[in-house]
Amino acid sequence: MERITTIADLRRCVDAARNDGRSIGLVPTMGALHVGHISLVERCVAENDITVVSVFVNPTQFNDKRDLELYPRTPDEDCALLEKAGCTYVFTPSVEEVYPEPDTRVFDLGGVAEVMEGRYRPGHFNGVAQIVSKLFAMVSPHRAYFGEKDFQQIAVIRAMVAQLQLDVEIVPCPIVREADGLALSSRNTRLTAQQRINAPRIADTLFKSLTFAQSHTVDETIRYVVDTINDVPEMRVEYYEIVDGITLQPVAQWSDSNYIVGCITVYNGEVRLIDNIAYCRP
Ligand code: PAF
C-alpha cells in the first residue's frame, strides 16, 4: 500500500492504472476506521483492480465546529487496517491541498437533500457534495463505495452524480452492526461507558418496530419508536421519519410505496448517532 498526500501524486497513480486498463474503486472516508469501513474496502478490493481509500475529515460538511474538533482522528491505526484489507493507495491530503481556496459551489441536490439531515444540518450535504465531487474528479473511479448507515447520503450522492453527469457507479453497502445491534460508527468511541451500554436500544427499537408496524399505522409506529428511545436515560430522538426509499419523502401509509425506510437520529448524551431500517424493499 502506498500513502499519498498530494493530488498530483494521486493523479499520476490512478492515471497510470487506468491507462493500463485496470479498474479503479474509491472508498471515501473520514478516517477513524472501523469494521464497517473495512467491509467497504474489502468489497472494493474484491471488485476492482485498484482500491483508493481517502482519509480526510472534510471541514465543509460540519455545521457544528465542536463536532469537527471532536471528530476522532487515528491516522496510524487507519493505515495499518487499510494495508491489511488490501488497499492499494491511501490518500491523506491536508485541508490546504483539498481547499487551496474556499469552495463556494452550491449544489442543487433536490428533494432528497432537503428532508431529515438536510433540515437539521443545514449545509451538511452541500459540503458532502463538494468533497465527494472533488474526489471523483481527482480519482475518476469506475465505482465508489458508501455505507447504508448514511442512507440519505447515498441518495444525495446519486443526485450529485446525476446533476454533474458523472460516469461512476455508486455501490451501497449494508450496515455493519456490533453483536448487540449498535450500528458501527466512528462516533461510538465518544460514548461514555453508560451511553455505550444504552446505545443498542436504538437498533433494538427499530427492529421491534418491524413487528409493531404490522398492526399499526405509520404515525403510530413513529410514535412508538420515538417514545421508546426517549425513555432511555440521556437519549433524545432528533427525528424519526418513515420515508420512501428512493425519494426520501415521508410516507403517510404503508401502501404508499414498495420501498419504505425508517431513518433516525438520536442524541446519546452529546453524541449524535444515526441508524435506519427497511420496512419493505422492492
Ligand atoms: O460518510 C462519510 O464518512 C463522509 O460523509 C464522506 C462520504 C467520506 C465525505 O466526507
Side-chain angles (χ1 to χ4, degrees):
M1 183 180 79
E2 195 176 325
R3 186 167 172 174
I4 298 174
T5 56
T6 68
I7 297 167
D9 284 347
L10 179 64
R11 284 224 169 91
R12 244 190 310 281
C13 294
V14 293
D15 287 352
R18 196 174 313 97
N19 292 340
D20 282 352
R22 285 184 279 171
S23 60
I24 300 165
L26 170 68
V27 185
T29 82
M30 296 206 298
L33 302 182
H34 50 64
V35 177
H37 294 111
I38 297 305
S39 73
L40 308 185
V41 177
E42 286 173 349
R43 175 143 176 210
C44 185
V45 168
E47 295 179 355
N48 300 278
D49 299 319
I50 298 289
T51 289
V52 180
V53 179
S54 58
V55 174
F56 179 67
V57 182
N58 172 40
T60 71
Q61 70 187 74
F62 285 82
N63 52 341
D64 177 349
K65 247 186 110 205
R66 188 167 155 74
D67 195 23
L68 172 61
E69 278 161 20
L70 292 177
Y71 201 85
R73 290 158 171 90
T74 56
D76 295 340
E77 290 88 336
D78 291 347
C79 284
L81 286 171
L82 290 174
E83 174 119 54
K84 209 164 144 226
C87 167
T88 323
Y89 299 114
V90 55
F91 179 50
T92 56
S94 64
V95 173
E96 295 71 33
E97 181 73 10
V98 176
Y99 296 109
E101 52 200 54
D103 190 339
T104 53
R105 289 174 300 161
V106 178
F107 290 81
D108 176 7
L109 300 161
V112 292
E114 282 159 17
V115 293
M116 301 191 285
E117 296 293 280
R119 208 166 53 240
Y120 287 91
R121 297 180 76 187
H124 167 67
F125 283 133
N126 200 63
V128 170
Q130 287 175 342
I131 184 61
V132 175
S133 62
K134 274 177 179 273
L135 290 168
F136 285 180
M138 292 170 201
V139 178
S140 297
H142 296 91
R143 300 183 190 87
Y145 295 76
F146 296 90
E148 281 188 326
K149 182 172 75 66
D150 296 290
F151 189 78
Q152 188 175 6
Q153 174 169 273
I154 295 179
V156 167
I157 289 168
R158 285 191 199 282
M160 186 266 292
V161 165
Q163 191 191 79
L164 300 180
Q165 298 177 301
L166 301 179
D167 185 16
V168 53
E169 183 189 343
I170 302 302
V171 184
C173 301
I175 299 177
V176 180
R177 297 183 182 279
E178 300 279 7
D180 58 17
L182 176 64
L184 293 191
S185 164
S186 305
R187 290 192 165 89
N188 292 348
T189 57
R190 290 175 47 204
L191 297 170
T192 64
Q194 189 55 53
Q195 289 163 355
R196 174 63 189 83
I197 290 170
N198 293 341
R201 294 288 297 279
I202 301 169
D204 182 56
T205 307
L206 292 182
F207 283 117
K208 286 189 174 134
S209 79
L210 295 180
T211 311
F212 186 92
Q214 285 168 13
S215 52
H216 294 83
T217 65
V218 170
D219 281 349
E220 286 165 349
T221 305
I222 292 173
R223 211 46 295 138
Y224 164 77
V225 168
V226 172
D227 290 349
T228 308
I229 294 176
N230 279 343
D231 265 355
V232 180
E234 293 194 73
M235 282 204 193
R236 183 175 60 78
V237 175
E238 187 168 53
Y239 64 80
Y240 184 53
E241 295 203 11
I242 296 184
V243 300
D244 178 275
I246 303 293
T247 65
L248 304 195
Q249 302 310 303
V251 296
Q253 302 179 49
W254 297 117
S255 56
D256 281 355
S257 171
N258 64 350
Y259 187 17
I260 297 184
V261 179
C263 298
I264 196 159
T265 297
V266 180
Y267 276 96
N268 188 358
E270 67 165 16
V271 184
R272 193 173 185 273
L273 301 176
I274 65 173
D275 202 342
N276 62 77
I277 194 140
Y279 290 93
C280 58
R281 283 181 194 274

